[in-house]
Amino acid sequence: MIEDAVSRRALLRGGLVMGAAGLVAACSSGGSSSGSADGASVTNMTAGWSTASGGTGPLWIGVEQGIFKKYGLNVSPVESGSTASATAVVAGKSQVYYGEATSAFQAVTQGQPVEIVATFRDYNFFYFLGAPGITSPKQLAGKSIAISSVGDSTDLSTRNALQQLGVNVSDVTLLATGTSSAREAALLSGKVAATLLTNPSASQAAAKGCKIFVDQTKQLFIGSAVVIDA
């Protein structure tokens, strides 16, 4: 029923500033409302997330410290893969996704109605490193480069790094390896010729003989975002 649906005004009302981290939460029309013990209206919503990291910390702070409830939102975080999260929003499985903005980019190219209503990281945080023994970008040709998954921020950032280095992406194999620790292990073992890492992992890898080819930490990049159904 229409009175049970969350209006777009209510969706955007879900934009909450969460402490110093400044998370803006939003919910779409897939949520539902109910009454609280004190008679106030409460909006129930599911918030998808993809990575257990400091970047998703504000979501958990908002839930555990009751910040969402203070503003009438009953938020249930649900883990979902970054590349599938925007699709989950469109399908109504979650009302909001907090994670990589690249999920929204992919969805838009596929004609899915999603919208970014907030971003939380203006700069990239990756370093592009070569494995021990890789001293020149030219040595990357014909070799594998570890990314987390196809279409996520590691994929996009790797393509940007290769372009800066003058390496054609068609000359390498982008290997979906998973987490940062898995990519680091693949790099140090020589399974892949290069990958992206954040600090302190990047510095630790450099100390073990890996060469930093590109420092992307001063490059503008839309990272974490709040994605809703448009």
Side-chain angles (χ1 to χ4, degrees), residues 4-16 23-33 43-46 68 71-73 75 89-90 94-97 113-118 226-230:
D4 292 327
V6 181
S7 67
R8 187 165 181 78
R9 177 177 296 180
L11 180 152
L12 295 175
R13 177 175 58 83
L16 304 177
L23 169 65
V24 179
C27 55
S28 77
S29 57
S32 61
S33 298
T43 298
N44 298 312
M45 59 174 285
T46 299
F68 288 119
Y71 291 93
L73 297 173
V75 179
V89 169
V90 174
S94 64
Q95 285 70 59
V96 58
Y97 167 64
V114 299
E115 180 178 348
I116 292 177
V117 295
V226 169
V227 180
I228 64 171
D229 184 356

Side-chain angles (χ1 to χ4, degrees), residues 120-174:
F120 308 106
R121 177 160 53 86
D122 297 328
Y123 289 86
N124 210 325
F125 53 20
F126 286 121
Y127 295 85
F128 184 78
L129 300 94
I134 302 295
T135 58
S136 169
K138 294 180 179 179
Q139 294 176 273
L140 297 176
K143 295 182 173 63
S144 296
I145 297 176
I147 61 173
S148 179
S149 62
V150 176
D152 72 354
S153 62
T154 62
D155 187 343
L156 180 57
S157 295
T158 294
R159 293 172 186 271
N160 289 341
L162 292 174
Q163 184 177 39
Q164 288 180 256
L165 295 170
V167 178
N168 195 318
V169 69
S170 63
D171 292 335
V172 302
T173 298
L174 299 184

Side-chain angles (χ1 to χ4, degrees), residues 19-130:
L23 169 65
V24 179
C27 55
S28 77
S29 57
S32 61
S33 298
S34 60
S36 64
D38 60 5
S41 177
V42 176
T43 298
N44 298 312
M45 59 174 285
T46 299
W49 60 277
S50 61
T51 305
S53 67
T56 53
L59 175 62
W60 300 105
I61 293 172
V63 172
E64 294 176 6
Q65 295 191 5
I67 299 173
F68 288 119
K69 288 187 176 180
K70 177 181 178 181
Y71 291 93
L73 297 173
N74 182 31
V75 179
S76 299
V78 175
E79 184 177 8
S80 57
S82 61
T83 55
S85 297
T87 301
V89 169
V90 174
K93 294 180 180 179
S94 64
Q95 285 70 59
V96 58
Y97 167 64
Y98 175 50
E100 295 189 340
T102 48
S103 296
F105 301 159
Q106 284 186 289
V108 170
T109 62
Q110 296 167 3
Q112 296 178 353
V114 299
E115 180 178 348
I116 292 177
V117 295
T119 60
F120 308 106
R121 177 160 53 86
D122 297 328
Y123 289 86
N124 210 325
F125 53 20
F126 286 121
Y127 295 85
F128 184 78
L129 300 94

